[in-house]
Amino acid sequence: MKYFAGIVAVLVITLTACSDPKPQTKAVYMLLDTSGTYTKQLDKAKNIIKYLLGNLNSGDSFAVARIDSESFSEKDLIAKITFDMRPSKANAEKRTFNEIVEKFTKEVKGSAYTDITGGMLQAIEYLNETGAGYKYILIFSDLKEEVKKGHVRDFPITLTDIKVTALNVTKLQSDNVDPREYMKRVEEWTQRVEDGGGTWRVINDLERLEGVLD
Amino acid sequence: MASADFWNMWMPSQPAISIVIWVLIFMLVLYIARIPAHKAILTITHGLRQALRLMAKSIMLVESRLKQRNREVLLAHGRDATERGIEREFQRVEALVNRDLSGYPSLQRDLKEQITRIDEDYVQSGEVPPQPPEWLRAIEAVAEIPSNGSPVVAKILNDIHSTLKKSLDKDVSAYRKANKERHALLKKMMPFWRSLTKILTNVEKKITGLENRSNVIDEQMKHYEEILAKTDYAERMLSSSSLTQFFISGLVLFIAIIGGYVNFQLVALPMSEMVGAGSYLGSIKSSDVAALFIIALEVSLGLFLMEALGVTRLFPVISTLDDKKLKIILWVSLSFLFVFASIESSLAYMRDMLAADKEALTQMLSGVEAAEPEFRWIPSVGQMVMGFILPFALTFAAIPLESFIHSSRTVLGLVLVWFLNSLSFIIRQLASLIKGFGQLIVNIYDLFIFLPLRIEQVFKNKKDSSEMDAVQDRPFLNN
């Protein structure tokens, strides 16, 4: 009996020592820019979503929201889900999710303004609620933020333990006139995310999405 | 005071001379301290050397004890293995005796019957020479009567001759008939002879089988006696056998581990459907832990099964149980194994379904038209069969495991002995080096103070030569 108790104690200590308190699940929040001409890029976003659906597992969370004039709101959420623990059910949920996104991209209308900060605040709230161990915000946008007059968005945001990735950051007409504008825009977002405690990176080549959830 | 000033303190304008003065001072100090310094160096190195030699001696002592212990373990294990071998041979002999020699009474009866029949036939076929008729002598006497030309006598003699001839013809005919009958009887004996030969050949074969077995037992007994006598030959044989077993069983265990990995792959994915794919135990998926648990259970059941069958003897508690309890353990293990094999088979099927579903989803997401493969059922059935067979196949891992555990004790012992031996050798070499090192430091010390030593030598030589001169000046002393 003594030996048995000893073995159990050793096993418990070993498992406790080995265990990582950080959950192994992932949570991804993808923001889709629907302002002006950028809506034409949404087909690319669809492929990214499909890629993510193929790579997320049971227990992971995924949400897709649009960036419009006032993005700090639940109404901009297109679809959100925490995949079922059973892989078979999770696969069915992925199919449904994909259908919702397909429907959205067909019916979407462009917005007048681009409230990226609002969308990010909404994303942070969602990601923290999931309690996932690894959190990602994917911004599918040209990163040009235009907020309505009177809306305050110029303040620091907390992005602790969140990896932010800007996807398909297209160059605007004005960027061609002065490329420094593009660089400045990217630099500003990099600074803002890193100051908030997050990590930042840009992926413009959508053929290289392998590391997006690293 | 700065360091440079210190070194230049004797002649600040001439640093080289200052340094030379310092060197001379050091030389002088070292010369004065030469004898105690030499003693100190040699004492330290001697002490170190002694300590190292003592250490080497202790290690050799441990090595010797370990060797002795290894030998004891090896011989004990060898004795146990040989006892098992002899026991097994005796069991075979018992089976042979039970199977073949249990029919001996009936065989003996058969033989007796055959022999009796042959004997009867032989007696019947015994040739009885025909007795000459009683009146033959009377006829002989009559035939010797001289005829003297009498026709009556000649007629009588002729009659007697014809009668005698008739009688002899009759006898020859009877003799031939009797011979014919005897030959027929002898011919009838042939199948009995053949049957007798066949029976005796069978008996010979069985006896030869027993003889072979007894030869094997003799060999093993000889080996056993050598182990009991603890001879070096027995130790060498057992050691070599252990090394061979270690490598072979290691190889088979490695194959079994690969089998276990394949088994794990079959079970892990469908287990996530039961325990959930998103839950983790530490950094390991719960489904993986559950799959590993099932495989570990199967292996454990395999161990119990092999133990109950008497193939392995890893658990003395089980092997000492009575036959009835062993039978219970055997059937319980086998039943559970069967249940687990069935579960695994169904899990393998589920795995195939999940993989197909995942494949379909991937194809749908990548926009490829999903097509149903023509022979989709073949891998499904293959996986199910594998899922059913692998738990039983893993059962046999108990045999190499036992060999590996037993032989690894010997191999580890040998490695440890080798290590201790090498360590002792290195320490002894180090002790010798330290001895030489002490002498080297003494020589370097003397090299550094070569100047005062040289001066001392010169003075000494001078003194010696003056003493010699003084001795020569006093010749009476030489006488």
Side-chain angles (χ1 to χ4, degrees), chain A residues 50 85-88 91 95, chain B residues 272-273 277-278 280 357-358 365:
Chain A
K50 282 177 180 174
M85 288 295 181
R86 286 168 296 165
S88 57
N91 284 349
R95 286 189 179 92
Chain B
S272 62
E273 197 68 17
Y280 286 79
D357 188 33
K358 174 89 178 165
L365 291 173

Side-chain angles (χ1 to χ4, degrees), chain B residues 288-324:
Chain B
D288 289 356
V289 176
L292 278 173
F293 178 67
I294 283 188
I295 292 165
L297 263 181
E298 286 168 1
V299 172
S300 309
L301 284 169
L303 287 178
F304 292 140
L305 185 68
M306 285 292 162
E307 201 74 17
L309 280 169
V311 178
T312 56
R313 286 188 188 178
L314 284 167
F315 305 100
V317 180
I318 295 179
S319 53
T320 50
L321 287 175
D322 60 73
D323 285 353
K324 199 179 168 189

Side-chain angles (χ1 to χ4, degrees), chain B residues 22 27 43 89 112 127 137 143 174 201 205 224 228 245 269 273 285 314 326 338 348 420 437 443:
Chain B
W22 271 118
M27 232 181 242
T43 309
E89 281 305 324
K112 248 183 179 173
E127 194 176 347
R137 283 185 191 163
T201 312
K205 268 184 196 167
Y224 185 61
L228 283 184
Q245 273 199 5
L269 181 65
E273 197 68 17
K285 272 187 176 180
L314 284 167
L326 277 179
F338 183 79
L420 288 175
F437 185 67
N443 290 342

Side-chain angles (χ1 to χ4, degrees), chain A residues 21-32:
Chain A
K22 190 176 176 178
Q24 299 294 312
T25 49
K26 293 173 183 170
V28 183
Y29 197 97
M30 187 164 174
L31 290 163
L32 302 180

Side-chain angles (χ1 to χ4, degrees), chain B residues 102-231:
Chain B
S102 61
Y104 245 100
S106 69
L107 190 77
Q108 196 187 6
R109 204 168 50 242
D110 285 355
L111 275 172
K112 248 183 179 173
E113 278 173 13
Q114 298 289 340
I115 289 166
T116 311
R117 278 179 193 171
I118 289 168
D119 195 43
E120 280 170 4
D121 286 350
Y122 182 73
V123 169
Q124 280 178 17
S125 69
E127 194 176 347
V128 184
Q131 292 290 320
E134 290 293 323
W135 44 263
L136 202 63
R137 283 185 191 163
I139 286 173
E140 249 176 16
V142 172
E144 282 170 3
I145 298 168
S147 63
N148 294 331
S150 173
V152 177
V153 174
K155 193 178 178 286
I156 289 167
L157 286 173
N158 276 338
D159 287 346
I160 288 169
H161 175 75
S162 63
T163 307
L164 195 62
K165 204 179 169 190
K166 267 182 191 172
S167 170
L168 283 174
D169 285 346
K170 201 179 170 185
D171 281 350
V172 167
S173 166
Y175 183 76
R176 280 180 181 158
K177 197 183 169 189
N179 259 357
K180 202 178 171 185
E181 277 171 8
R182 278 184 212 109
H183 278 136
L185 280 170
L186 284 171
K187 203 176 174 184
K188 229 171 87 183
M189 273 166 72
M190 271 181 72
F192 296 123
W193 275 115
R194 278 193 196 122
S195 166
L196 197 64
T197 313
K198 204 176 164 187
I199 290 168
L200 286 173
T201 312
N202 279 341
V203 170
E204 191 190 352
K205 268 184 196 167
K206 283 166 188 171
I207 296 293
T208 313
L210 263 176
E211 205 180 318
N212 288 342
R213 286 272 158 234
S214 65
N215 283 341
V216 173
I217 291 173
D218 278 350
E219 277 294 312
Q220 290 201 339
M221 278 307 288
K222 215 168 131 188
H223 189 54
Y224 185 61
E225 276 163 10
E226 280 197 354
I227 291 171
L228 283 184
K230 296 180 178 177
T231 60

Side-chain angles (χ1 to χ4, degrees), chain A:
Chain A
M1 196 63 196
K2 261 183 187 176
Y3 286 116
F4 180 72
I7 290 166
V8 169
V10 168
L11 273 174
V12 168
I13 290 165
T14 313
L15 279 174
T16 317
C18 292
S19 64
D20 184 358
K22 190 176 176 178
Q24 299 294 312
T25 49
K26 293 173 183 170
V28 183
Y29 197 97
M30 187 164 174
L31 290 163
L32 302 180
D33 191 342
T34 55
S35 63
T37 53
Y38 203 80
T39 46
K40 288 175 189 166
Q41 303 283 331
L42 282 180
D43 275 344
K44 290 181 187 173
K46 244 174 21 181
N47 291 335
I48 297 169
I49 290 166
K50 282 177 180 174
Y51 174 81
L52 292 170
L53 285 173
N55 282 279
L56 289 170
N57 298 315
S58 299
D60 291 343
S61 303
F62 188 29
V64 177
R66 62 181 290 185
I67 300 171
D68 63 3
S69 304
E70 290 167 335
S71 301
F72 186 52
S73 157
E74 281 80 12
K75 72 174 171 57
D76 285 329
L77 212 57
I78 301 160
K80 67 167 180 172
I81 194 154
T82 296
F83 296 116
D84 196 89
M85 288 295 181
R86 286 168 296 165
S88 57
K89 186 94 188 291
N91 284 349
E93 287 168 347
K94 285 174 184 178
R95 286 189 179 92
T96 313
F97 196 99
N98 187 52
E99 280 167 17
I100 295 168
V101 172
E102 287 274 357
K103 194 179 169 204
F104 166 77
T105 50
K106 276 176 195 163
E107 295 168 356
V108 67
K109 283 173 186 163
S111 63
Y113 296 92
T114 318
D115 179 15
I116 300 174
T117 308
M120 279 186 80
L121 289 170
Q122 188 66 34
I124 293 163
E125 199 178 275
Y126 172 81
L127 292 177
N128 288 334
E129 275 174 16
T130 59
Y134 302 91
K135 298 170 213 164
Y136 304 87
I137 295 175
L138 309 180
I139 309 170
F140 186 78
S141 165
D142 54 17
L143 296 180
K144 181 130 178 101
E145 187 166 42
E146 289 170 309
V147 289
K148 269 185 186 173
K149 201 174 174 187
H151 286 201
V152 182
R153 295 290 184 262
D154 186 16
F155 53 84
I157 42 179
T158 308
L159 288 154
T160 315
D161 293 334
I162 297 176
K163 293 178 179 176
V164 183
T165 307
L167 299 161
N168 194 43
V169 185
T170 50
K171 282 89 184 174
L172 305 170
Q173 190 58 41
S174 56
D175 295 337
N176 255 320
V177 175
D178 184 0
R180 282 176 301 177
E181 256 188 51
Y182 173 82
M183 287 175 209
K184 192 183 163 200
R185 206 161 64 237
V186 173
E187 185 55 39
E188 273 174 9
W189 274 107
T190 308
Q191 197 63 44
R192 201 170 176 199
V193 169
E194 286 177 355
D195 287 349
T199 56
W200 170 266
R201 68 176 163 168
V202 177
I203 299 177
N204 279 332
D205 183 359
L206 299 182
E207 297 295 314
R208 306 204 183 284
L209 286 171
E210 302 85 36
V212 76
L213 296 181
D214 283 348

